[in-house]
Every structure is written in C-alpha cells, then in structure tokens.
Amino acid sequence: MSLQSLAHANACYLKPTSVFASKRDIFFTDFVNFGPKRTNRRLIDAGTNVHKGFVGFQKTRNWSSSIKSVLDFHHVDSQQSSDSKVQVANLKDILAERGACGVGFIANLDNKGSHEIVQDALTALGCMEHRGGCGADNDSGDGSGLMTSIPWEFFNNWAEKEGIAPFDQLHTGVGMVFLPQDEKLMEQAKSVIVNIFNEEGLEVLAWRSVPVNTPIVGYYARETMPNIQQVFVKIIKEDDIDDIERELYICRKLIEKKASSETWGNELYFCSLSNRTIVYKGMLRSEVLGKFYYDLQNDDYKSPFAIYHRRYSTNTSPRWPLAQPMRLLGHNGEINTIQGNLNWMQSRESSLKSPVWRGREIEIRPFGNPKASDSANLDSAAELFIRSGRTPEEAMMILVPEAYKNHPTLSIKYPEVVDFYNYYKGQMEAWDGPALLLFSDGKTVGACLDRNGLRPARYWRTVDNVVYVASEVSFFLCYWIKRYFTMKGRLGPGMMITVDLINGQVYENTEVKKRVALSSPYGKWIAENMRTLEPASFLSSPTMENETILRHQQAFGYSSEDVQMVIESMASEGKEPTFCMGDDIPLAVLSQKSHMLYDYFKQRFAQVTNPAIDPLREGLVMSLEVNLGKRGNILEVGPENASQVTLSSPVLNENELESLFKDPILKSQTIPTFFDIRKGLDGSLEKTLNKICEAADEAVRNGCQLLVLSDRADELEATRPAVPILLAVGAVHQHLIQNGLRMSASIVADTAQCFSTHHFACLIGYGASAVCPYLAFETCRQWRLSKKTLNLMRNGKMQMVTIEKAQNNFKKAVNAGLMKILSKMGISLLSSYCGAQIFEIYGLGKEVVDFSFTGSVSSIGGLTFDELARESLSFWVKAFSEETAKRLENFGFIQMRPGGEYHGNNPEMSKLLHKAVREKRESAYSIYQQHLANRPINVIRDLFEFKSERAPIPVGKVEPAASIVERFCTGGMSLGAISRETHEAIAIAMNRIGGKSNSGEGGEDPIRWTPLADVVDGYSPTLPHLKGLQNGDTATSAIKQVASGRFGVTPTFLVNADQIEIKIAQGAKPGEGGQLPGKKVSAYIARLRNSKPGVPLISPPPHHDIYSIEDLAQLIFDLHQINPKAKVSVKLVAEAGIGTVASGVAKGNADIIQISGHDGGTGASPISSIKHAGGPWELGLTESHQTLITNGLRERVILRVDGGFKSGFDVLMAAAMGADEYGFGSIAMIATGCVMARICHTNNCPVGVASQREELRARFPGVPGDLVNYFFYVAEEVRSTLAQLGYEKLDDIIGHTELLKLRDISLVKTQHLDLSYVLSNVGIPKWSSTAIRKQEVHSNGPVLDDILLSDPEISDAIENEKVVNKIFKIYNVDRAVCGRLAGAVAKKYGDTGFAGQLNITFEGSAGQSFACFLTPGMNIRLVGEANDYVGKGMAGGELVVTPVENTGFTPEEAAIVGNTCLYGATGGQLFVRGKTGERFAVRNSLAQAVVEGTGDHCCEYMTGGCVVVLGKVGRNVAAGMTGGLAYILDDDDTLIPKINKEIVKIQRVVAPVGQMQLKSLIEAHVIESSGILNFVQEKTGSTKGAVILKEWDKYLPLFWQLVPPSEEDTPEACAEYEQTTTGQVSVRSA
C-alpha cells in the first residue's frame, strides 16, 4: 500500500451560477492561506472558458488505532469562581493546539440581506479546500465555518410553522450551541442554560434542533460531533442594542461558569450568542460546510455579509469549538506571545472596570483560557473591548498594533495615530505574531494585517461599487476583472480596511486609524504625563578593587570563559561572540559541575506553525522599548493611564537606575535577595522567597510602582548567599499575578548574576521589565583599564575603545542579542516578550517550577529548592575559601579544558576513532566503544539501558550490516562551512554504502553528479584533490538541502536529488539562518552560491516562503512538482510541542521528518544560540513519534533523527524511541580527519576539514574508506546488540520502548528526574519501518503540468529541442505550474543546455508558485494575474505577467502578483505590468526584472542580477543586498527614507553603461522585437514604460541606482570606466 493511497484530494464542487451571477453592491474579501497536499486539479482542455468542477480521488480511510477523545472541548471560556486565585497559563495546554488557516468575507454596502451572499461565501470557502487540513481519516476537516447576520426572515418562517409568534428582532438573541451528545446530559445542560437566562430576567422563547446532514461528516468528526441546537431568548429590560449584546455576553459567561463544575461542562460551547450575528461551524472540510448545515442551503437564509474560514490545524485532533470564525474574529496565523498575553490579561482582571458593566465585572471573568487556542483567546480579548464600548477597529489597533516607529508616512502625516499607539503601548502588550484578522460585530466588517504583513491581501473595486479584498486571486475573480473592476490595490503590513454596514462606506487604512486616534487627546495626555528616561553616562572608573571584583565574580558563578569569551568580547566588539561546532557538554541537570540557574532554561523558537523574523535586516518592525510604572484600567481612557516612564532599552546602567530611584511617582523600593543559611541550608531558600514575595506584596499595596530586586551589597557575607535572581524575579512576578497586583508595579533586577544575552532574556521573559547588570559593567571597566588590554590597544592588535565605549559596546551587544532571541520566536516587541515565559526547562522540579515559573514546561523534573540552594552555595563559597585562586576558574563549558566540563567530542575520543577506522581493526573499535561506555552521563539516553525477555540468538541470524547502513545519513554540512575535500569524501563514502549524505545549504558542483570512470591507484583527474577513490564512485549528495538562503538551489540541483531536505531549523541555532564568514567565501564557493567572493553570507531566518504550515506545504508541493521522484524531508529541532508541529508537517505531504537535537554542530553561530536553544532529541523524537501514532499519521512519514550520534548504542536507542533513520554529523567529520580544534569559524582548521585555504586543505588526511569502515563498525555493533536482545532486525525494535529501562545510577545534583515520558508507549505503527521507508514518493495528484507534458507538441519540443507555441487556461488551484515542465528540461539538458523554445501563454488567475524553477528556453506569459511566489527559483527563460485588456483600472497602480516573487532566482528575466507585493527579489542572484512598484523589503539579501522598479516601493529596500544592482524611479522624491543604507550606496545613474542597461531593460519590458523576423510587438505594453522611454531625458535623472560595495567598480555603476578599443573595460587613470 503506497502513501499515495493515503494522500487525498478532496473534490471541490462549485455552482457556476453562484460564481458568475450578477454582482450587486457587494464588498467581497477572500483571505486564504496554503493547505496540505490535496490538489483539486480539474482535467481540462486548453481553451476551456468555464470551470466545470474538480475530479476527486477515491479516499482510502486509514483509521487510527486509538481515537483520541476530542469531545474534551475545554470550552473556550471555561470559568472559575471569582474568589479563587488567578490560574497562570500553562505552556503544555497552549502547545496542544496550534493552527493556521484561510479567511474571507463578503459584505453588501447597502446592508441588504440576500441568500446569494451566503452562497458566494460557501463557494469561495469551497475553493479554499486546497489550503485547509484534514485528519488521518482524510475526511474530517480541521474546521470550517461561516459568520453571518441573523437571518430573521428564515427564523420567523420556522417559528410560524412551529406555532411560535414572530421574533421581536430588537429584543431577541439567538444562541448557536454545541451540547453534549448524551440525551440525558444534554437535557441537564439545557436546564442550566434556561435557569441562568431566567435568573437574568431573559425569557427563553424556543429551542431549535439545527438540521444537519450527518453522513457527510468524516469519521473522527462524526465520533465527536456535538448535539447542535439554537436557543432564542427575549431581552425585555434593555432597548439599546449594545446593552442587549452585553446582557447576552454576561449570560454566556455565567452559563460557562456554572457548567465548569458539571461533568458535562467541557461538552457545552456557545458558537455565538448575539442579537446581530450567528456562527455556523464545525470539524468539517470547507466544501462540506454548506452541505452539512441544511439551513445554509435555504433561500430564505439571507445576510448582508458573511465571514468564512477554513482551518489548517497542526494538531490533528481538532475540536468542533475551535473551528472558526470565533464569536467576533476569523484569525489566520499564530500568536507567539500567547502565554504572556494570557498571564497579563489575567493580571489585569482586578483592575478592569467600566460603567457599562454596572458593577458586574467580577461575573464576566476570566478573559482567557490556556486550554483554548490562541485565536479563541484573542477573540476573547477583542470581545471584552468591544462589549465594553470600543469599536472593533479600535480593539484591533490596541491588540495588534502596526510597526509605527520609524514610519515616515505616519509620523509626518498622521502624528495622532502615533500618539494613539504610544499611549497604548504601556497599557496593552501587543498580541504579537503573524496574523491576518477578519472581524465583525454585525455593524462593521473589517480586516487587518500584523506588523510584518506576511499574509497577503489585495483589493479590487468595481464600477458599480463592488469591493473585493483577497489574498488569493481566484479563478472566478478573473471573470469579474474583465467586466467590472476599475481599481486595484493591496493591504500592506499593519494595514486595515473596514466596511461600515450601517452607512455603506469603505474606509481604508489611514482613514480608519485617524478616526479612532482622534477620539481622545492622546498626544496631550502623553506630553503631560509620560516621562522618558534619558540616557545617562556610564561610570568612568571601577567602583571596586580588583580583588573585590574577583570575589564577586566567583560568588556569582562567573568563569574565565564567561569573562574573556563573552563579556570582554562584547565590550571590545559590540556584538555577541561567534563560535562553532555544537553544545556537546551534558545538560546542566546531568552535569557534575555547578551551573547558573539560567543554564536549565532553553529558549523556544519558531518552526513551521509560525515564522522567525529577521532582526538583522528587518529590525524596523522590532522594538526594545519598555514602559515602567502602574498600568491602569484599560477599559477607561484618561490621562492617568499615560503616567509611566519609557525606556529605550531594558539594559540600565548604574546612573539610569539611580534616576529611576529619584522618580517621585514610581516610589521605587529595593528588596534584597539573599538567603540566610546560619540555621541550616534545608528550607532556607524557599523560606526566603516567600519573604521576598511578602515584601513585594506589601510594597505594592503601599503604592510602590517599581520593585527593584537586588543582590548588591556593600560586603558579601559567607552565610548569606544570593538567591538566584531569576528565581526571585519569577517568584515575585507569579505572586503578584496570583494576588491581582501585577499591573500596579514593574520589576527591575539589579544584579551581578547577569552578563549574557540569554540571562537578560530569561529575566525579562519571567517578568523583569529592565535589568541593571552592575557586575558585568564593572567587569567591562576592569577589562578596559587592565595592562593587557592597554598593551593590545597600543600595539594595534585591538581596536581602541574608551571605558565608556566599552560599556556602551556591551549594552549594544546585549540589545542586538535580545532582538535576535525575540526574533527566533517571531516576536517583534520586547514589551510582548516580557512575562511571556518563552522557554522550556530541563532539570527543575515541580515545586520550583510551580513557585517561580508557573506554566512553563519542565518535562523531566529535576532539582528541588534545597538542591538548587546547594548549587548556588557551591559558587558562593569560592569567594570565601582560603584556597580560592587569584584568578577565575575555567569551567570548560565552551572549550574543552583539562579538569573542566566533559565534552562528548574530545581529543581522546577522536584519536581512538581515527585509530579504529584507519587501521580497520575491530579491537581498536572496541576500545573506542569502551571509551564511550565509560564516559560520564552526557545525554538523556545515557540514563537508559536495554532489557529483553528473549533469549540471545547468533549474530548470523541478524539482518546484514549492508542493510543497516542504508538507514544512515550524514548531517547537512554545507560546502563552504567544510572544505571540498571533506564534503566530497563524505558523499562518496555514503554512496558506497547505500546511505545518504547531505549537501547542506551551499549547493553542489555538477561535476560530482557523474560516476567516476578514470580512477588509477586511488586518484582521479576529475577530483584530483581526493585520494582512496574507486571507479564507480559518485560524489553527489543524495540529499540536497533547500534552506532559506537558497544558495546553489537551481532546477538541475533539485532534479539530481534522491531526496530534498527543507531546512526549517538547525540544532545549533534554531530560529536563525546559517552564516558563512567572508573569509570562507572563496571564488569556488561564491560561484556555487551565486554570490561574491569575500562577502559574508547570512541566510535569512526561514520566513520568506515557509512562514506558516500552509506555506511549508506549498514548498513541499513545489519540490514534488519539479522532482516527483525525490522524497521531501523537513528538518525540525526538538522542543516541547514538536509533536504538534510534526503532525502538521505530515499533513503537509512531507515524506520524511527529521528531528535534530540541540547538540548538533555548526560552522559558525553566536555562542548563546549554541548553548541555549533547542532540546534533546530523545524528548523531541518521543513526542513526534507518539503524537503521529496517536493521530494515525505515523505511516505517512519516515522519522529521521540526529544530534551527537557516535555509536551503535545511539542508533539502537533512537530506534527504540521510534526513529527509522539515523543521522551522523560531527562524528562523520571526525572519522574523515577532524581533530576538534573548534576553530571552524576562523577558516584556520589545521587539518583542512573546515577551511577554504588551499594550503590547509592540502593537509586533509581523510579517505572515503575511513568513513565506510566507521559505519560498518557501527552497524556490526547494532547487529551484536540485536543478537543479545534476541531480535533479527531493526524493524522489530523500532518504537518498542518496553525494551528500555532506567540504569541504576546516581546523579550528582538530583535523584528527582522523571523520565517516564520517554518510556511511555501509545502503540506501534501498522506498517513496519522498512515498509514506511520503501513506500513511493508522495504525489501531488493530477496537476496542470501533467496536461502540458502530455501535449505531443510540447513533449516533442523538449525531446528534440524544437520551438512550440501554446495557450492554456489557468485557475488559482493550479499551483507551481511549469515546475514539472522545468524539471523535465533540467533533467535532460541541465540549467543551460536546452536549445528549443517552449512559448506558453496562460490566461486566468495563476495559483501559488507560478512559473517556479524556469530554465532557459522557457518563455512563459500570463495574461491575468498571479498569487505569491511567482518566478520562485527561476534559473532562465522569460516570464511576462500582464493584465487582461480593457481592465478599466490603471495597471501600473495595481498589484498583479503576490508576495515573495523571484525568491532565490538564479537567472532569467521577469517583466510585470503592475505592482508586486512584499519581499520582491529576495535572494535574487542573477535574474533581471522590471516591475512597476513593490511592497516592503524589495531586493533583500540580493547577491546579483538587476531589478528595475518604475513606481513606488515600500520600506526597507535593499536590506542585506551584497550584489547586483537596482534602479528605482523616484518621481515624487519619497524614496530615500525607504532605503536601508547599511550596505548599499545610493547614486544617480551616471555611468553610460548603467544608463544603457536601464534603458534596454525598460525597452524589453515594453516591447518585444526580433531583428531576424523584423517585427515589433508589445511584451507588457506598459504605458508607464512607454512614457519613460518617450521622455527619456526627463525621466533618467529621476532614477536612483542602488550599488552594493561589490558592484562599485563595475562599468554599470562607475562613471570612471571607459570602453577600450579591444572591447575590454579599464579604469580611466586619475
């Protein structure tokens, strides 16, 4: 059975009448995002005009062995008694529910209800099926729904038939209710509902069972389907419509509170309860919604608007209540700060008051629920604001503010909007993360984008006043364009659009915001009440003697590495230090060495469900600003709420802290944080924490608005060690939350225990608003005045810095590091990160976590308070011991040191391995094995051993080593990070054994793709730098990696892959892009990567085309499209919640999921990233394997794992925990000669393994045979152990955790680890591991490219290099069109060898990734418009996009293609008549393009090629642009502030060659000419281009040329160049 039988393609039936019916005055919005693999491709003939429907596939139902109960709704607003303490958000609850989706709305501007609007909404919803998700049964949708106004005519007709009086529309509320399935429980629930309504004075008029079509529902959805009813209630005592909505809101809250104490409480859920709106939704596929609810088919069901939603949940057991729309919102995206948002919402409950509630605020608490989704909680917060009297648009501006800082348009034209945002930034932390939000309260319908604008949104307006807003141009839109549209545009980052249904008006972004901002005098209030902390000078001399500084450093846990490699490095260079390899020391809890508390925390990071963002190139959307002081009642506006102090950074120096002490309004109070051990250690730490919390409580109740927790003391005392400051901050933060006081004061840490960026992040993440790291600053001052530093500066070996500059550098490095840590989780604002607890804990026990870090995940338990006190004391005593050295101890946490921390990759291990593989003696490998067996506990798997009830069997009966080694892979090490010799030797070795090597993200030389046939005595002229070769060897990497930088990714690269790996994250630095120092970018490396020699390369974080689960699914689709024979893998890094992510990836049609541990290697990375992000693969693998099994998805994917593998023991452990394949990274390099010098990032590797210097590469000692020997030794070790356990093959133990048991071993620090989760077992896959590994590549299903390739003229043209001209219709469901065609050409001819011409014209609306991976000879034209990713990865050919004729609008003012077009292009030409979206030409390296306007981030990370823009651009142009040229027309003098000037030079087009280049590209854009055939015809027919050419002398001076340093001396950019008679270019002598 192949996985293709599991892969479903859901039919999407569309009524042509509803698509092409005459359109009334309608505002239609269609926001959608990508879904999984289902491709609803219709088999149509070229030239077909009308879409007839889709051909679906037979679904094969594959039920999970255990159906997880999804009846447990955790109803979204589960209540608690008002007098109980606030319950803090728990990360485990939050991680269990993630999702992303597509949304849209239609609205009639005359506010007239019609059934056609409902029909059209359902039609649009049905067309989004390819962007939704389905469960393991391939039939239960992740969720879809519809919000409309209440169809009173329909309900009155029903009432009449039932003998019920017509409803009084003004005074009647309608509830859509999910009730328990069980009849008896349902009656109990209804009784509670009726009683509450009665108590509130409301009359229940009727109950109505909603008629549904149950058989159409999928298996899982049917099993968990609630009883769906509607309740009609009369509100007698209110006449105002807003008061009626509030009364219904209170009733719903009271019902939920009452139900929470009942056994059936979690089976009751109100989809809606309103006088205006109603929501129909369920666990349904989008095409099924209208068929499931018979009401929606009734002609009497009329509404003036409809919001629709299709959900793609990464949790594959979605719940009925979590389908959307919610009660007010339809949300597409993920709120990254949700845990902090929930905690802060709960913190402010006691302060929330408004006259509209008439004293009933306590009854409507709480305002959030951790067990609900992020969307449900955002909806809940918005609902609170709207029911309290705010407009929906104001609520959205408060909750999801735009990036208003550094925004020239806002600050100049709309200062009142800036004032609004400044006022609220101290009141409400932003709900931060990628979000496209649609909202309605029944009076207003609107849409807004988050500050990054990663969700696309475009709009159209027709002559008869119809407006359409969409993120996906759909096929029926094309029909409308021809007849109706007169204007086009798009929503950019942070923008909003609203429809006022009452007044029939559409308001665009600044109109909306200006109206809201002018409602109160925010600017006046800020000017009168908000104070800004002015930067204060740093201290100019040390405040302690050197000996005292040393004692403090010893007492507070500093090591010489911390001082020299971290603090001094930051002070001298102003940035975080870079290091290499990985983190191969034990987790802090397993270590025999004492660690600071921070080392037990790992930073969380974004992967798949939400994107990391780019602090380096897109810092304009980020801010480290934070406000100190009391946060008032946010439901009431007034000047007192603005009374706060604003800090530009959370890093305070001593003088700035002193300024805060002097602020009379803050009334700051210092609480010392030392614990007394004179009466014994046990219990002392916990007792002190309680006292600190009590002191904080009392201070706040007495009016203190600034709590300063301080471990500063005039004299350190031996019996009064410092409490770990993180423990104290967390404890006070949690105490104040639970006692309703948190909004009344801010917390500042004044501490010696903070010097690295990770330390700052932890303190802020657990509640501190700012930190004064006094000992770190003192260390900077001491370093600057030391004789060693002074000598280095005098001798010119170190840059000269003053003592002030050294401290400022340290602060600058911390700020940059904090931005990077925030960005890894996709968070833009420090104010949202504060208290968000975005960490997971490895090694702290429940009592500690519950006290100070409530809600954080600590899955393996660990240290108690007393054990933590002992560890703190072990540092403290060093300051008071007579034996204390006169210098700081080196703990060896970063670099291996004798007597220091144990490192898994150590010189002794390397020597033993080299001896074994080079001598090829089993006894030598046995010694290596013994060395590993005797090492200290280093990783979690070291705590386990095998057990078996079977009798041992002879080794001869076990599967052969040759079969086992086929499961082995090597890590994704790029050519560039390691040398050519190492890279090729590893690839040859893996190909010999049938395993797989990985190209990494640096591309690959095509010379390696052909088997060697010229080897003599181990040497080949083809690869002369290698030895030990054999005829038949191939140096190709079976796995080709596609990373965010797209280095070396060409069509030919992709079609020559056996597998293609999408690198979402890397173990050594998850959430960040790769980096290659400039000194390693040799001419050869630059050629392969299409970049410039000597220029450093930094990959963007993975957010350009994989910013969500839907877009990852699209990239998987693209790669299956170009190479249908290659399996696609997705590389993730272990962290809590990875099982949820893995489920989404499996549904996205990945063939393989790779789980990497935090201990993976890297060529270059910031030290804090290596040390403090990611989790152990043992936990990540266990969670992924078990979640996939629970949800019936395990058979879909191969599970591969890597991170610190060294032996057969590691392979067997991974197998027992569920892995099918095993990755070896650093150890493979060691086997080929690496000596672990740990200087990869310097380009000075002494044995040429990780260097590009030719003299060092010549020392490379390795041969492929060494690595072959190693892997066969590992396989034989596996065979030997299998024989001892009594098993014949690896298949028999994979996933069998019952073979594992805990070793009887004592850890130094604690006996309280709990590893039961690793030993748990939810079942075994139905297929064997071998069957899973051998299944066919997953299919995209029928696609338009199949029709293209089956066309005899096209296939003949490819086969025989002929010219062909063809025309086809295209629709939005046709994705990655031309990708498979390009793959066929590239496979046969390479990237440049095709001499034929495929001239293909498409008419219509193209789906995502149109014309991806084009090769030379492919000339593609689209008449219509396209969605995101046009021209992605194109390597040649020509692509033209032009609108249909006679559109009625001005094409150059309209967006015609989507976001992220031309991403990673390596050649070809693109001409677009119209504007593009955000992120145009990101990482373009050779393509040329002419477009007529772009969004933000144009030409970002560009390394070559040429881009011409004939219109307006967005912000942040040319960020990270290191190569290529850009020409931008600036006819209104607004361009300069929009350019990122960090790298590029801005100049007029003065070089004659540059002028020629610009003019010829514009000519090519406008017209197509042929000298041979002597004809001239329009290419795009651009009016704007034609005008520029006609008035060239007028327009040429209006162009700016953007020139990176690498292009400054080129003839196009340099006016001093002249052409010599020989045609060569030379520099004119000065």
Side-chain angles (χ1 to χ4, degrees), residues 1288-1307:
E1288 293 184 1
K1289 51 186 186 295
L1290 258 180
D1291 273 1
D1292 298 339
I1293 72 160
I1294 288 173
H1296 285 270
T1297 52
E1298 72 275 9
L1299 296 174
L1300 300 178
K1301 70 170 184 176
L1302 286 169
R1303 289 170 64 190
D1304 185 13
I1305 196 164
S1306 286
L1307 294 174

Side-chain angles (χ1 to χ4, degrees), residues 317-333:
S317 289
R319 294 171 275 166
W320 280 76
L322 292 178
Q324 294 193 45
M326 294 297 172
R327 289 152 191 150
L328 290 166
L329 301 179
H331 173 221
N332 170 14

Side-chain angles (χ1 to χ4, degrees), residues 378-434:
L378 179 59
D379 184 77
S380 179
E383 190 177 25
L384 172 67
F385 279 110
I386 292 168
R387 296 294 172 242
S388 298
R390 305 298 179 89
T391 63
E393 48 268 48
E394 183 177 6
M396 291 298 102
M397 286 174 67
I398 294 170
L399 293 166
V400 190
E402 66 181 305
Y404 65 97
K405 299 279 184 184
N406 312 312
H407 198 308
T409 309
L410 274 186
S411 53
I412 295 166
K413 293 186 178 178
Y414 305 99
E416 62 277 4
V417 177
V418 174
D419 291 337
F420 174 91
Y421 287 131
N422 274 326
Y423 175 84
Y424 276 106
K425 76 165 191 234
Q427 301 302 306
M428 168 61 72
E429 61 295 333
W431 292 60
D432 200 5

Side-chain angles (χ1 to χ4, degrees), residues 1353 1356-1364 1389 1394-1398 1417:
E1353 292 177 63
D1356 182 47
I1358 295 173
E1359 187 63 32
N1360 300 303
E1361 300 187 82
K1362 294 181 179 177
V1363 177
V1364 65
Y1389 299 102
F1394 179 55
Q1397 275 193 26
L1398 307 179

Side-chain angles (χ1 to χ4, degrees), residues 138-183:
N138 294 329
D139 209 5
S140 297
D142 284 359
S144 62
L146 204 67
M147 178 203 290
T148 69
S149 65
I150 294 173
W152 290 113
E153 181 185 343
F154 170 71
F155 285 140
N156 279 325
N157 288 345
W158 169 82
E160 187 180 348
K161 290 173 189 171
E162 297 293 317
I164 300 168
F167 298 118
D168 173 358
Q169 293 184 24
L170 176 62
H171 294 96
T172 306
V174 183
M176 183 79 162
V177 196
F178 289 165
L179 292 161
Q181 288 177 323
D182 181 87
E183 198 73 27

Side-chain angles (χ1 to χ4, degrees), residues 1614-1618 1626-1630:
C1614 181
E1616 279 69 45
Y1617 271 82
E1618 65 177 10
S1626 63
V1627 180
R1628 190 181 297 160
S1629 57

Side-chain angles (χ1 to χ4, degrees), residues 975 980 984 1002-1007 1047-1050 1080-1094 1097 1466 1483 1485-1486 1503:
L975 176 53
R980 184 176 181 182
E984 291 173 4
E1004 202 167 76
D1005 194 332
I1007 201 171
F1047 295 113
V1049 176
T1050 67
K1080 296 184 83 165
V1081 186
S1082 66
Y1084 178 69
I1085 299 303
R1087 175 169 67 81
L1088 294 179
R1089 295 186 178 219
N1090 289 306
S1091 64
K1092 308 290 181 188
L1097 297 176
T1466 58
R1483 266 295 295 122
S1485 53
L1486 272 180
T1503 59

